[in-house]
Amino acid sequence: MNAYIFPGQGAQFSGMGLDLYEKSPEAQRLFDSANKILGFSITDIMFEGTPEDLKKTQVTQPAVFLHSVILSKVLGEKFNPDMVAGHSLGEFSALVANGVLSFEEGLKLVHKRALAMQKACELKPSTMAAVLGLEDEVVEAICADVEGIVVAANYNCPGQLVISGEVDAVEKACEELKDKGARRAMVLPVGGAFHSPLMEPARKELADAIEKSTFNKPTCPIYQNVSTFAVTDPSEIKKNLVFQLTAPVKWTQSVQNMIKDGAKTFTEVGPGKVLQGLVKKIDRNAEVNSGEI
């Protein structure tokens, strides 16, 4: 069975999407439409902007979404998923690719999500840190013991977990994690504490927009970050998407469940190859590749 996976924030690069724009009239139409929907020329930033320009949350999220979704549409008959999943932001790309959301609705929600998250980041100093070389349970226990808000946020692959929360709490957790034998516990250059309780204001704002959006029956199951199991019911998909901002990204568990349900090949659709690397660390026997036109 073919699993198609969609990357999240962090996969962006200067010049992203330009090859699609130059090769495909359909891609041109969708990019031009995106500029109108967003009210600014995101294509200028994607095609010619600096890495610094692309790093702003309100740009990064729609940029990665557009690259992934437009690539999936340009692939045409070569895009034939039996199941899909997306890492954090990538879940929105996956939902457009499997027909749950229209291109326009998906882009509007991603734009809203980016602005809401940016606002939440500005309310309180917060950050994230990558932790390598420890069991998940050890990381979870230390986060629970540290004073202040710090939680496990991204279960990326065995031995690689990202924690998220208040700056002081994350820094304190990093010290304790190193004492416990973490190979690395390093604060990341991000704007805030994504996938933590500190994103609650953004969750509330996005929940309203999600409730008002039309969710269709998917063409194939999606394995969502919150539940990790195959979902096909639009109301359940909607509910999981609402909680995604404050809940952890359970990528390891999602990939394991996809493999258990028959996934043999994982095709990453969008910028970069980060998810392919994570899939191989989760199961070295899985076949991985990039979606290419």
Side-chain angles (χ1 to χ4, degrees), residues 10-20 31 42-56 59-60 63-64 67 271-272:
Q12 69 276 4
F13 62 90
S14 296
M16 62 189 289
L18 181 58
D19 58 333
L20 294 174
F31 275 122
I42 193 162
T43 49
D44 284 352
I45 305 171
M46 289 173 71
F47 302 165
E48 297 162 20
T50 65
E52 211 53 45
D53 296 331
L54 275 165
K55 244 189 348 197
K56 296 166 187 158
V59 172
T60 310
V64 172
H67 190 288

Side-chain angles (χ1 to χ4, degrees), residues 108-174:
K108 284 175 185 170
L109 283 177
V110 165
H111 187 45
K112 182 92 176 166
R113 180 183 192 264
L115 296 175
M117 287 171 79
Q118 188 66 47
K119 264 197 275 182
C121 289
E122 287 160 10
L123 291 174
K124 190 164 203 176
S126 57
T127 192
M128 302 175 84
V131 182
L132 303 182
L134 281 181
E135 296 292 317
D136 293 348
E137 297 75 19
V138 176
V139 180
E140 289 162 353
I142 286 172
C143 286
D145 283 346
V146 167
E147 194 178 326
I149 296 170
V150 57
V151 296
N154 294 354
Y155 293 80
N156 285 332
C157 65
Q160 188 187 127
L161 210 158
V162 176
I163 61 173
S164 180
E166 294 165 339
V167 171
D168 290 348
V170 169
E171 288 174 349
K172 176 69 176 154
C174 284

Side-chain angles (χ1 to χ4, degrees), residues 74-92:
V74 170
L75 283 169
E77 287 178 7
K78 283 199 278 182
F79 183 75
N80 56 342
D82 297 303
M83 54 182 81
V84 295
H87 191 287
S88 188
L89 159 73
E91 198 162 281
F92 287 81

Side-chain angles (χ1 to χ4, degrees), residues 257-283:
N257 285 331
M258 292 168 99
I259 291 167
K260 208 183 295 176
D261 292 346
K264 294 282 185 277
T265 305
F266 287 81
T267 303
E268 185 165 6
V269 185
K273 296 183 177 181
V274 171
L275 297 185
Q276 294 171 63
L278 295 181
V279 168
K280 288 302 270 186
K281 285 175 182 165
I282 294 164
D283 186 333

Side-chain angles (χ1 to χ4, degrees), residues 169-202:
V170 169
E171 288 174 349
K172 176 69 176 154
C174 284
E175 287 167 28
E176 294 195 16
L177 289 161
K178 284 176 192 164
D179 289 343
K180 279 283 183 187
R183 203 162 71 246
R184 283 179 93 176
M186 180 182 67
V187 174
L188 298 169
V190 294
F194 305 140
H195 300 288
S196 82
L198 295 172
M199 284 292 116
E200 181 59 21

